[in-house]
Short mmCIF file of all heavy atoms in Angstrom, two decimals:
data_model
loop_
_atom_site.label_atom_id
_atom_site.label_comp_id
_atom_site.label_asym_id
_atom_site.label_seq_id
_atom_site.Cartn_x
_atom_site.Cartn_y
_atom_site.Cartn_z
N THR Z 38 124.01 -1.09 104.88
CA THR Z 38 125.35 -1.62 104.63
C THR Z 38 125.39 -3.09 104.23
O THR Z 38 126.46 -3.61 103.96
CB THR Z 38 126.23 -1.43 105.88
OG1 THR Z 38 125.64 -2.15 106.96
CG2 THR Z 38 126.38 0.03 106.23
N TYR Z 39 124.26 -3.76 104.18
CA TYR Z 39 124.25 -5.19 103.89
C TYR Z 39 124.83 -5.48 102.51
O TYR Z 39 124.54 -4.79 101.55
CB TYR Z 39 122.81 -5.73 103.94
CG TYR Z 39 122.73 -7.20 103.65
CD1 TYR Z 39 123.11 -8.13 104.62
CD2 TYR Z 39 122.30 -7.67 102.42
CE1 TYR Z 39 123.05 -9.49 104.36
CE2 TYR Z 39 122.23 -9.02 102.16
CZ TYR Z 39 122.60 -9.92 103.12
OH TYR Z 39 122.55 -11.26 102.87
N ASP Z 40 125.68 -6.51 102.42
CA ASP Z 40 126.28 -6.86 101.15
C ASP Z 40 126.53 -8.37 101.09
O ASP Z 40 127.46 -8.87 101.71
CB ASP Z 40 127.60 -6.11 100.96
CG ASP Z 40 128.24 -6.41 99.61
OD1 ASP Z 40 127.55 -6.94 98.72
OD2 ASP Z 40 129.43 -6.14 99.46
N ASN Z 41 125.71 -9.08 100.35
CA ASN Z 41 125.94 -10.50 100.10
C ASN Z 41 126.76 -10.58 98.81
O ASN Z 41 126.27 -10.23 97.74
CB ASN Z 41 124.60 -11.22 99.93
CG ASN Z 41 124.76 -12.68 99.57
OD1 ASN Z 41 125.83 -13.12 99.16
ND2 ASN Z 41 123.69 -13.43 99.70
N PRO Z 42 128.00 -11.05 98.87
CA PRO Z 42 128.86 -11.04 97.68
C PRO Z 42 128.34 -11.93 96.55
O PRO Z 42 128.74 -11.74 95.40
CB PRO Z 42 130.21 -11.53 98.20
CG PRO Z 42 129.92 -12.20 99.49
CD PRO Z 42 128.67 -11.59 100.05
N ASP Z 43 127.48 -12.87 96.84
CA ASP Z 43 126.96 -13.77 95.81
C ASP Z 43 125.67 -13.29 95.17
O ASP Z 43 125.19 -13.90 94.22
CB ASP Z 43 126.74 -15.16 96.41
CG ASP Z 43 128.03 -15.77 96.92
OD1 ASP Z 43 129.09 -15.55 96.29
OD2 ASP Z 43 127.99 -16.43 97.97
N ALA Z 44 125.09 -12.22 95.69
CA ALA Z 44 123.78 -11.77 95.21
C ALA Z 44 123.90 -10.96 93.92
O ALA Z 44 124.80 -10.14 93.76
CB ALA Z 44 123.09 -10.92 96.27
N GLU Z 45 122.99 -11.20 93.01
CA GLU Z 45 122.89 -10.41 91.79
C GLU Z 45 121.80 -9.35 91.93
O GLU Z 45 121.86 -8.30 91.32
CB GLU Z 45 122.56 -11.34 90.61
CG GLU Z 45 122.63 -10.68 89.28
CD GLU Z 45 122.44 -11.67 88.14
OE1 GLU Z 45 122.49 -12.90 88.36
OE2 GLU Z 45 122.23 -11.21 87.01
N TYR Z 46 120.81 -9.66 92.75
CA TYR Z 46 119.67 -8.77 92.98
C TYR Z 46 119.48 -8.59 94.48
O TYR Z 46 119.88 -9.44 95.28
CB TYR Z 46 118.39 -9.36 92.37
CG TYR Z 46 118.55 -9.67 90.91
CD1 TYR Z 46 118.80 -10.97 90.48
CD2 TYR Z 46 118.47 -8.66 89.96
CE1 TYR Z 46 118.97 -11.25 89.14
CE2 TYR Z 46 118.64 -8.93 88.62
CZ TYR Z 46 118.89 -10.23 88.21
OH TYR Z 46 119.06 -10.50 86.88
N VAL Z 47 118.84 -7.48 94.84
CA VAL Z 47 118.53 -7.21 96.24
C VAL Z 47 117.05 -6.91 96.34
O VAL Z 47 116.51 -6.09 95.59
CB VAL Z 47 119.34 -5.99 96.76
CG1 VAL Z 47 118.93 -5.64 98.18
CG2 VAL Z 47 120.83 -6.27 96.68
N GLY Z 48 116.40 -7.58 97.25
CA GLY Z 48 115.00 -7.32 97.55
C GLY Z 48 114.83 -7.21 99.04
O GLY Z 48 115.33 -8.06 99.79
N TRP Z 49 114.20 -6.17 99.49
CA TRP Z 49 113.99 -5.98 100.92
C TRP Z 49 112.57 -6.35 101.29
O TRP Z 49 111.63 -5.97 100.59
CB TRP Z 49 114.28 -4.53 101.31
CG TRP Z 49 115.71 -4.21 101.16
CD1 TRP Z 49 116.28 -3.45 100.19
CD2 TRP Z 49 116.78 -4.69 101.96
NE1 TRP Z 49 117.64 -3.42 100.34
CE2 TRP Z 49 117.97 -4.18 101.42
CE3 TRP Z 49 116.86 -5.51 103.08
CZ2 TRP Z 49 119.22 -4.44 101.97
CZ3 TRP Z 49 118.11 -5.77 103.64
CH2 TRP Z 49 119.26 -5.24 103.08
N LEU Z 50 112.43 -7.07 102.35
CA LEU Z 50 111.12 -7.38 102.90
C LEU Z 50 111.05 -6.74 104.27
O LEU Z 50 111.69 -7.20 105.22
CB LEU Z 50 110.90 -8.90 103.01
CG LEU Z 50 109.56 -9.33 103.60
CD1 LEU Z 50 108.40 -8.78 102.77
CD2 LEU Z 50 109.49 -10.84 103.69
N MET Z 51 110.35 -5.62 104.34
CA MET Z 51 110.24 -4.91 105.61
C MET Z 51 109.48 -5.77 106.61
O MET Z 51 108.70 -6.65 106.23
CB MET Z 51 109.58 -3.55 105.41
CG MET Z 51 110.35 -2.65 104.47
SD MET Z 51 112.09 -2.54 104.94
CE MET Z 51 112.71 -1.39 103.79
N ASP Z 52 109.69 -5.50 107.86
CA ASP Z 52 109.28 -6.40 108.93
C ASP Z 52 107.80 -6.73 109.00
O ASP Z 52 107.44 -7.78 109.50
CB ASP Z 52 109.74 -5.86 110.29
CG ASP Z 52 109.15 -4.50 110.63
OD1 ASP Z 52 108.65 -3.81 109.73
OD2 ASP Z 52 109.22 -4.14 111.81
N ASP Z 53 106.94 -5.89 108.48
CA ASP Z 53 105.51 -6.18 108.60
C ASP Z 53 104.81 -6.36 107.25
O ASP Z 53 103.60 -6.48 107.18
CB ASP Z 53 104.80 -5.11 109.43
CG ASP Z 53 104.95 -3.71 108.87
OD1 ASP Z 53 105.70 -3.53 107.89
OD2 ASP Z 53 104.34 -2.79 109.43
N ASP Z 54 105.56 -6.40 106.16
CA ASP Z 54 105.01 -6.63 104.82
C ASP Z 54 105.19 -8.11 104.47
O ASP Z 54 105.87 -8.84 105.17
CB ASP Z 54 105.72 -5.77 103.79
CG ASP Z 54 105.63 -4.28 104.11
OD1 ASP Z 54 104.69 -3.88 104.82
OD2 ASP Z 54 106.51 -3.52 103.67
N PHE Z 55 104.60 -8.55 103.35
CA PHE Z 55 104.85 -9.92 102.92
C PHE Z 55 104.75 -10.05 101.42
O PHE Z 55 104.04 -9.31 100.75
CB PHE Z 55 103.98 -10.96 103.65
CG PHE Z 55 102.50 -10.68 103.69
CD1 PHE Z 55 101.64 -11.29 102.80
CD2 PHE Z 55 101.97 -9.83 104.65
CE1 PHE Z 55 100.28 -11.06 102.85
CE2 PHE Z 55 100.60 -9.60 104.71
CZ PHE Z 55 99.76 -10.21 103.81
N TYR Z 56 105.58 -10.98 100.90
CA TYR Z 56 105.63 -11.29 99.46
C TYR Z 56 104.64 -12.39 99.13
O TYR Z 56 104.44 -13.30 99.92
CB TYR Z 56 107.00 -11.85 99.09
CG TYR Z 56 108.19 -10.95 99.12
CD1 TYR Z 56 109.46 -11.50 98.92
CD2 TYR Z 56 108.11 -9.59 99.31
CE1 TYR Z 56 110.60 -10.72 98.93
CE2 TYR Z 56 109.24 -8.80 99.32
CZ TYR Z 56 110.48 -9.37 99.13
OH TYR Z 56 111.61 -8.61 99.12
N LEU Z 57 104.14 -12.37 97.90
CA LEU Z 57 103.47 -13.55 97.37
C LEU Z 57 104.58 -14.52 96.96
O LEU Z 57 105.70 -14.10 96.62
CB LEU Z 57 102.59 -13.17 96.19
CG LEU Z 57 101.36 -12.33 96.57
CD1 LEU Z 57 100.59 -11.93 95.33
CD2 LEU Z 57 100.47 -13.08 97.54
N PRO Z 58 104.33 -15.83 96.99
CA PRO Z 58 105.41 -16.82 96.78
C PRO Z 58 106.18 -16.65 95.48
O PRO Z 58 107.39 -16.91 95.43
CB PRO Z 58 104.67 -18.16 96.80
CG PRO Z 58 103.43 -17.90 97.58
CD PRO Z 58 103.06 -16.46 97.32
N GLU Z 59 105.56 -16.18 94.42
CA GLU Z 59 106.23 -16.09 93.12
C GLU Z 59 106.91 -14.74 92.86
O GLU Z 59 107.50 -14.53 91.80
CB GLU Z 59 105.24 -16.40 91.99
CG GLU Z 59 104.14 -15.38 91.82
CD GLU Z 59 102.92 -15.55 92.74
OE1 GLU Z 59 102.94 -16.41 93.66
OE2 GLU Z 59 101.94 -14.82 92.55
N LYS Z 60 106.86 -13.82 93.80
CA LYS Z 60 107.39 -12.47 93.58
C LYS Z 60 108.83 -12.47 93.07
O LYS Z 60 109.13 -11.92 92.02
CB LYS Z 60 107.30 -11.63 94.85
CG LYS Z 60 107.94 -10.25 94.69
CD LYS Z 60 108.17 -9.59 96.04
CE LYS Z 60 108.63 -8.17 95.92
NZ LYS Z 60 110.00 -7.99 95.57
N THR Z 61 109.73 -13.06 93.82
CA THR Z 61 111.14 -12.97 93.48
C THR Z 61 111.45 -13.65 92.15
O THR Z 61 112.14 -13.07 91.30
CB THR Z 61 112.01 -13.57 94.61
OG1 THR Z 61 111.70 -12.87 95.82
CG2 THR Z 61 113.48 -13.44 94.30
N SER Z 62 110.94 -14.84 91.92
CA SER Z 62 111.24 -15.54 90.66
C SER Z 62 110.68 -14.77 89.46
O SER Z 62 111.34 -14.69 88.42
CB SER Z 62 110.71 -16.97 90.69
OG SER Z 62 109.31 -16.99 90.82
N ARG Z 63 109.51 -14.20 89.59
CA ARG Z 63 108.93 -13.44 88.46
C ARG Z 63 109.74 -12.18 88.19
O ARG Z 63 109.95 -11.79 87.03
CB ARG Z 63 107.47 -13.07 88.76
CG ARG Z 63 106.62 -14.30 89.00
CD ARG Z 63 105.38 -14.53 88.24
NE ARG Z 63 104.97 -13.67 87.20
CZ ARG Z 63 103.84 -12.94 87.22
NH1 ARG Z 63 103.04 -12.98 88.27
NH2 ARG Z 63 103.51 -12.20 86.19
N MET Z 64 110.19 -11.52 89.25
CA MET Z 64 110.97 -10.29 89.06
C MET Z 64 112.35 -10.59 88.47
O MET Z 64 112.82 -9.84 87.62
CB MET Z 64 111.05 -9.51 90.37
CG MET Z 64 109.72 -8.88 90.73
SD MET Z 64 109.87 -7.79 92.17
CE MET Z 64 108.27 -6.96 92.08
N VAL Z 65 112.99 -11.66 88.90
CA VAL Z 65 114.27 -12.05 88.31
C VAL Z 65 114.08 -12.34 86.83
O VAL Z 65 114.89 -11.92 85.98
CB VAL Z 65 114.88 -13.26 89.06
CG1 VAL Z 65 116.03 -13.87 88.27
CG2 VAL Z 65 115.35 -12.84 90.45
N GLU Z 66 113.02 -13.03 86.48
CA GLU Z 66 112.74 -13.33 85.07
C GLU Z 66 112.54 -12.04 84.27
O GLU Z 66 112.98 -11.94 83.11
CB GLU Z 66 111.51 -14.24 84.95
CG GLU Z 66 111.19 -14.65 83.53
CD GLU Z 66 112.31 -15.45 82.86
OE1 GLU Z 66 113.10 -16.11 83.56
OE2 GLU Z 66 112.38 -15.42 81.62
N ALA Z 67 111.90 -11.03 84.86
CA ALA Z 67 111.73 -9.74 84.17
C ALA Z 67 113.09 -9.12 83.86
O ALA Z 67 113.30 -8.60 82.75
CB ALA Z 67 110.88 -8.80 85.01
N TYR Z 68 114.01 -9.17 84.80
CA TYR Z 68 115.36 -8.67 84.54
C TYR Z 68 116.04 -9.45 83.42
O TYR Z 68 116.69 -8.89 82.55
CB TYR Z 68 116.23 -8.76 85.79
CG TYR Z 68 116.11 -7.58 86.71
CD1 TYR Z 68 115.71 -7.75 88.04
CD2 TYR Z 68 116.44 -6.29 86.29
CE1 TYR Z 68 115.63 -6.67 88.90
CE2 TYR Z 68 116.35 -5.21 87.13
CZ TYR Z 68 115.95 -5.40 88.44
OH TYR Z 68 115.87 -4.33 89.29
N ARG Z 69 115.89 -10.73 83.44
CA ARG Z 69 116.58 -11.58 82.45
C ARG Z 69 116.03 -11.39 81.05
O ARG Z 69 116.76 -11.53 80.07
CB ARG Z 69 116.52 -13.03 82.89
CG ARG Z 69 117.35 -13.21 84.16
CD ARG Z 69 117.75 -14.60 84.44
NE ARG Z 69 118.72 -14.59 85.54
CZ ARG Z 69 118.68 -15.40 86.57
NH1 ARG Z 69 117.75 -16.32 86.65
NH2 ARG Z 69 119.59 -15.31 87.51
N THR Z 70 114.75 -11.09 80.93
CA THR Z 70 114.16 -10.92 79.60
C THR Z 70 114.18 -9.46 79.13
O THR Z 70 113.90 -9.21 77.96
CB THR Z 70 112.71 -11.44 79.57
OG1 THR Z 70 111.94 -10.79 80.57
CG2 THR Z 70 112.67 -12.95 79.79
N HIS Z 71 114.52 -8.53 80.03
CA HIS Z 71 114.56 -7.10 79.67
C HIS Z 71 115.84 -6.48 80.23
O HIS Z 71 115.82 -5.82 81.27
CB HIS Z 71 113.32 -6.38 80.23
CG HIS Z 71 112.04 -6.88 79.70
ND1 HIS Z 71 111.55 -6.51 78.46
CD2 HIS Z 71 111.15 -7.77 80.20
CE1 HIS Z 71 110.41 -7.13 78.24
NE2 HIS Z 71 110.15 -7.90 79.28
N PRO Z 72 116.97 -6.65 79.55
CA PRO Z 72 118.25 -6.17 80.07
C PRO Z 72 118.32 -4.65 80.24
O PRO Z 72 119.18 -4.15 80.96
CB PRO Z 72 119.28 -6.66 79.07
CG PRO Z 72 118.51 -7.02 77.85
CD PRO Z 72 117.11 -7.35 78.27
N GLU Z 73 117.42 -3.91 79.61
CA GLU Z 73 117.41 -2.45 79.73
C GLU Z 73 116.80 -1.97 81.05
O GLU Z 73 116.84 -0.79 81.40
CB GLU Z 73 116.64 -1.83 78.55
CG GLU Z 73 115.12 -1.99 78.61
CD GLU Z 73 114.57 -3.36 78.17
OE1 GLU Z 73 115.34 -4.33 77.99
OE2 GLU Z 73 113.34 -3.44 78.01
N VAL Z 74 116.24 -2.88 81.80
CA VAL Z 74 115.54 -2.55 83.04
C VAL Z 74 116.53 -2.40 84.20
O VAL Z 74 117.41 -3.24 84.38
CB VAL Z 74 114.47 -3.62 83.36
CG1 VAL Z 74 113.96 -3.52 84.78
CG2 VAL Z 74 113.31 -3.50 82.37
N SER Z 75 116.37 -1.32 84.97
CA SER Z 75 117.21 -1.10 86.14
C SER Z 75 116.45 -1.30 87.45
O SER Z 75 117.07 -1.37 88.51
CB SER Z 75 117.80 0.31 86.11
OG SER Z 75 116.77 1.27 86.16
N LEU Z 76 115.13 -1.39 87.37
CA LEU Z 76 114.31 -1.53 88.58
C LEU Z 76 113.03 -2.28 88.21
O LEU Z 76 112.43 -2.01 87.18
CB LEU Z 76 113.96 -0.14 89.13
CG LEU Z 76 113.26 -0.04 90.47
CD1 LEU Z 76 114.09 -0.66 91.58
CD2 LEU Z 76 112.97 1.41 90.80
N VAL Z 77 112.64 -3.22 89.08
CA VAL Z 77 111.41 -3.99 88.87
C VAL Z 77 110.51 -3.77 90.08
O VAL Z 77 110.96 -3.79 91.23
CB VAL Z 77 111.69 -5.50 88.69
CG1 VAL Z 77 110.39 -6.28 88.55
CG2 VAL Z 77 112.58 -5.73 87.48
N THR Z 78 109.23 -3.55 89.81
CA THR Z 78 108.25 -3.36 90.88
C THR Z 78 106.93 -3.97 90.44
O THR Z 78 106.81 -4.51 89.35
CB THR Z 78 108.10 -1.87 91.23
OG1 THR Z 78 107.38 -1.74 92.46
CG2 THR Z 78 107.37 -1.10 90.13
#
């Protein structure tokens, strides 16, 4: 049910996993350069 009204993207970090520092910025850039994309992984 989580809803941040200011968010354009949603990324979940499960409690025992971890992101590399550039994950979110690189994925946002993929969306911005490929508008046909609905999911980034």
Side-chain angles (χ1 to χ4, degrees):
T38 61
Y39 180 76
D40 182 16
N41 176 344
D43 299 323
E45 188 174 348
Y46 305 99
V47 175
W49 293 107
L50 179 59
M51 300 309 184
D52 61 343
D53 58 355
D54 302 336
F55 50 99
Y56 291 173
L57 291 176
E59 67 276 8
K60 176 195 187 282
T61 303
S62 63
R63 301 233 4 244
M64 289 187 168
V65 166
E66 183 61 26
Y68 274 121
R69 292 199 170 134
T70 56
H71 298 280
E73 74 280 12
V74 166
S75 62
L76 187 60
V77 177
T78 193

